């Protein structure tokens, strides 16, 4: 059922002027080298790359929980501290960190996705080291200026008061303290098992104490504390 033009146009010869009809030896060598380079580039391309035209904008949040712009912003925060390695770029390191937190894939699986070039037995260890390095650098770059008693002046803290706290406490600074639970598995260590067991929740957990300003602004987060410790003891 194939169809073709009945007007005979396929039989009309077309004169080609200035068009190369064959490749010279040098052109062929250049073409082959370009193809080999492209194959090697694709072969070693990691799961997520900031300059990859194939990946869509939705792929970054799907794997990391953050957009490409947000990932680049995080990368710029840690760039002064994190050097570029032959095994990974700072952007790839940030992506590995958030993929681990969002998907909980093993370090070995993440190493495969990002095509870490090292010995088989060292892939897991290398990705684990990258994870802890990024965690430390992000902490140093973000936490001190956004969390803790020293990141906000008393005058700025008072601007987070509500009508309720202004009525009852006036110009005094009001803080709300409350414990936050993070549940954990039952430990094989008997002493740690006893320390993390909460009689109130009848489960094993660790606690963080949230210190919040009246309008909901998180002022500080301290911990972790053992599950058996109550809010009063932690506050002291």
């Amino acid at each position: 059922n194939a169809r073709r033009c009945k007007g005979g146009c396929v039989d009309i010869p077309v004169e080609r002027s200035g068009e190369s009809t064959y490749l010279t030896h040098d052109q062929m060598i250049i073409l082959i080298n370009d193809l080999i380079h492209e194959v090697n580039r694709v072969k070693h391309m990691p799961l997520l790359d900031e300059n990859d035209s194939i990946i869509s904008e939705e792929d970054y949040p799907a794997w990391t929980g953050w957009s490409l712009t947000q990932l680049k912003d995080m990368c710029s925060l840690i760039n002064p501290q994190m050097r570029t390695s032959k095994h990974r770029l700072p952007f790839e390191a940030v992506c590995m960190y958030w993929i681990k937190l969002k998907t909980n894939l093993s370090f070995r699986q993440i190493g495969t996705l990002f095509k870490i070039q090292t010995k088989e037995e060292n892939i897991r260890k290398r990705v684990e080291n990258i994870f802890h390095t990024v965690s430390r650098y992000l902490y140093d770059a973000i936490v001190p200026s956004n969390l803790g008693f020293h990141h906000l002046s008393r005058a700025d803290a008072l601007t987070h008061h509500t009508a309720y706290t202004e009525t009852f406490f006036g110009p005094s600074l009001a803080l709300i303290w409350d414990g936050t639970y993070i549940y954990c598995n039952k430990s094989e260590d008997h002493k740690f098992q006893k320390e993390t067991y909460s009689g109130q929740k009848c489960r094993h957990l660790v606690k963080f104490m949230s210190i919040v300003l009246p309008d909901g602004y998180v002022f500080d987060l301290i911990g972790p504390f053992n599950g058996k410790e109550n809010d009063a003891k932690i506050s002291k």
Side-chain angles (χ1 to χ4, degrees), residues 22-58:
Y22 65 92
L23 293 176
T24 65
H25 179 267
D26 292 340
Q27 290 174 326
M28 183 67 74
I29 295 298
I30 293 172
L31 178 61
I32 292 174
N33 288 335
D34 288 343
L35 287 173
I36 293 174
H37 176 74
E38 182 64 18
V39 169
N40 288 332
R41 187 185 71 83
V42 174
K43 181 180 178 181
H44 297 97
M45 183 181 291
L47 171 67
L48 296 178
D49 187 276
E50 58 183 321
N51 299 316
D52 194 340
S53 59
I54 300 176
I55 297 176
S56 66
E57 288 290 334
E58 290 75 21

Side-chain angles (χ1 to χ4, degrees), residues 4-217:
R4 67 179 181 87
C5 175
K6 293 182 179 181
C9 59
V10 294
D11 301 323
I12 301 173
V14 178
E15 183 179 353
R16 299 182 178 183
S17 60
E19 182 178 347
S20 178
T21 56
Y22 65 92
L23 293 176
T24 65
H25 179 267
D26 292 340
Q27 290 174 326
M28 183 67 74
I29 295 298
I30 293 172
L31 178 61
I32 292 174
N33 288 335
D34 288 343
L35 287 173
I36 293 174
H37 176 74
E38 182 64 18
V39 169
N40 288 332
R41 187 185 71 83
V42 174
K43 181 180 178 181
H44 297 97
M45 183 181 291
L47 171 67
L48 296 178
D49 187 276
E50 58 183 321
N51 299 316
D52 194 340
S53 59
I54 300 176
I55 297 176
S56 66
E57 288 290 334
E58 290 75 21
D59 289 329
Y60 295 99
W63 279 99
T64 67
W66 303 94
S67 67
L68 176 59
T69 303
Q70 291 170 323
L71 291 170
K72 287 182 177 180
D73 289 342
M74 287 183 224
C75 190
S76 66
L77 289 175
I78 67 172
N79 260 336
Q81 296 175 289
M82 192 170 205
R83 62 181 178 83
T84 299
S85 166
K86 65 178 181 179
H87 297 289
R88 55 98 190 104
L89 299 173
F91 180 82
E92 294 170 9
V94 171
C95 290
M96 290 184 207
Y97 174 80
W98 286 110
I99 286 175
K100 175 62 178 175
L101 292 180
K102 181 171 174 61
T103 66
N104 200 29
L105 292 173
S106 69
F107 291 124
R108 180 64 181 82
Q109 290 171 318
I110 294 174
T112 301
L113 292 174
F114 280 83
K115 301 176 182 177
I116 299 293
Q117 301 298 308
T118 186
K119 293 181 181 178
E120 182 71 22
E121 61 272 16
N122 292 335
I123 294 178
R124 186 202 64 79
K125 185 177 179 180
R126 189 171 297 280
V127 177
E128 183 180 3
N129 290 339
I130 292 172
F131 176 86
H132 292 300
T133 300
V134 173
S135 178
R136 184 172 70 254
Y137 288 161
L138 285 177
Y139 181 93
D140 293 341
I142 296 174
V143 174
S145 57
N146 292 279
L147 203 64
F149 281 93
H150 300 289
H151 87 279
L152 208 63
S153 67
R154 183 181 182 84
D156 291 334
L158 286 170
T159 62
H160 291 277
H161 271 208
T162 62
Y164 178 91
T165 52
E166 288 176 357
T167 300
F168 282 87
F169 301 106
S172 300
L173 183 61
L175 297 172
I176 302 166
W177 293 53
D178 195 18
T180 301
Y181 307 136
I182 297 181
Y183 296 105
C184 59
N185 292 326
K186 184 177 180 180
S187 174
E188 295 181 355
D189 185 292
H190 180 66
K191 182 179 178 182
F192 185 71
Q193 181 190 130
K194 290 177 62 178
E195 294 292 323
T196 56
Y197 183 76
S198 171
Q200 177 191 10
K201 297 295 182 180
C202 299
R203 291 182 64 179
H204 291 85
L205 54 90
V206 292
K207 287 184 178 181
F208 284 84
M209 179 60 75
S210 302
I211 304 173
V212 185
L213 293 172
D215 66 348
Y217 183 92

